[in-house]
Amino acid sequence: MWHPWGDGEKARFRLAAGANILGNALKIAVVGATGLAFGSVALLADAAHSVADLVASAVVFVWGGARYDDADETHPHGHQRIEPLAALFVGATIVLLGVLLLRESVSEFLGSPEITASPVLVAALAFALVDMYLLYRYTERINATLGSTALTALAADCLNDIYTTVAALVGVVGALFGFPLLDPVAGALVSVLVVYQGVEIGRENVTYLVGAAPPAGDRDRVIEALREHPAVEGVHDLTVFYDGTDLEVEVHVEVDGEMMLREAHDVETQLVTGLRDLPDVGDVHVHLDPSGLGEWKEADDAGGESGPVPEPGTRDA
């Protein structure tokens, strides 16, 4: 089978993002043209939502795959923060468009809806439902082996597209049965869902970009992995935080103070390698301390005297 971008993780990522571009373009063409032809604000809102999705998919296609590039001189920690940055752009675009759509829906509701009821409107929305469902399933299937936050955002967008299309369908059916006001009401509901989706995507990816702490379970599995090593007598000063979508770990580990330097080096290498093998863990920094001697961090800046010496393994972990 021909693979235009190769067959690695980055290639599969770009293939999924490219499919989202194509799927959204098809929906815009069908739903947007139908909405313009029959004057349906609900269909126009749904199509405009897909314009935002199309832009978002293009941004993810161009930027998001950078997370799979190796570290270089300009990005010594790698490129993993580019992906949540792209996803944040997706969320911001969706929020902006949702607000504009809401304003248009309210304006239409307060005025006189001019929708021309037709079964063609239902057919266009039925096409959109099938299009978005297939796109959602395809994106989820590829992302099952990638765990990409950008693809997760695109898949969530496809799923929300299904909900917004159902809302638009309610408005169109209402117009078919002589209730044209249901069309702008459906458009307003679609808009609110669009804004909510954009805020949720943005909130999640800001967490990645600011280096926030992960859920407690991620910290616990790091501690558990460290304590499994027979040479570890204590764990303290543990910090686990997001570096992009990866987890970065900084930790001080207490070992026997009589250990030879080469043996200590081997222990440190084993600990670093073991943590890096954990799911979602990227960079790891392990500092070895002789057990029971306290920490240089506790030295008094004014007098240089050490503070109280903690029991081995009692701090932070």
Side-chain angles (χ1 to χ4, degrees), residues 299-310:
D300 180 61
D301 291 338
E305 296 181 359
S306 296
V309 177

Side-chain angles (χ1 to χ4, degrees), residues 79-283:
H79 301 75
Q80 56 266 36
R81 293 196 182 193
I82 296 178
E83 184 185 8
L85 181 62
L88 181 61
F89 178 84
V90 172
T93 302
I94 290 172
V95 169
L96 177 61
L97 191 55
V99 171
L100 294 175
L101 293 175
L102 181 59
R103 186 182 68 176
E104 180 65 24
S105 297
V106 171
S107 175
E108 187 78 7
F109 180 82
L110 296 176
S112 299
E114 299 180 356
I115 180 173
T116 302
S118 170
V120 177
L121 297 171
V122 176
L125 291 175
F127 171 84
L129 285 173
V130 173
D131 182 31
M132 286 298 105
Y133 178 75
L134 293 177
L135 190 56
Y136 166 73
R137 296 293 299 177
Y138 179 73
T139 305
E140 282 281 280
R141 183 169 66 84
I142 289 186
N143 200 36
T145 59
L146 297 179
S148 162
T149 181
L151 290 184
T152 297
L154 292 184
D157 205 13
C158 292
L159 192 58
N160 282 315
D161 258 1
I162 294 174
Y163 301 147
T164 58
T165 300
V166 169
L169 188 59
V170 170
V172 166
V173 171
L176 286 173
F177 284 92
F179 300 98
L181 277 179
L182 282 180
D183 185 64
V185 169
L189 179 59
V190 169
S191 303
V192 171
L193 291 174
V194 168
V195 171
Y196 174 78
Q197 173 200 6
V199 170
E200 285 298 297
I201 291 174
R203 181 185 59 80
E204 177 185 1
N205 286 280
V206 165
T207 298
Y208 297 137
L209 289 171
V210 301
D218 289 318
R219 179 185 173 90
D220 292 342
R221 62 190 175 95
V222 168
I223 296 172
E224 182 180 354
L226 290 169
R227 290 190 178 278
E228 286 179 352
H229 196 288
V232 173
E233 298 182 9
V235 177
H236 61 268
D237 289 336
L238 171 64
T239 303
V240 184
F241 58 95
Y242 284 114
D243 178 21
T245 57
D246 291 340
L247 294 174
E248 185 160 336
V249 178
E250 297 176 357
V251 63
H252 287 227
V253 175
E254 298 173 17
V255 296
D256 183 0
E258 302 299 320
M259 186 179 294
M260 299 296 292
L261 179 59
R262 185 177 295 277
E263 183 182 356
H265 172 74
D266 291 340
V267 169
E268 180 180 345
T269 300
Q270 292 163 9
L271 292 175
V272 169
T273 302
L275 290 181
R276 286 178 176 169
D277 287 340
L278 295 176
D280 303 322
V281 173
D283 283 344

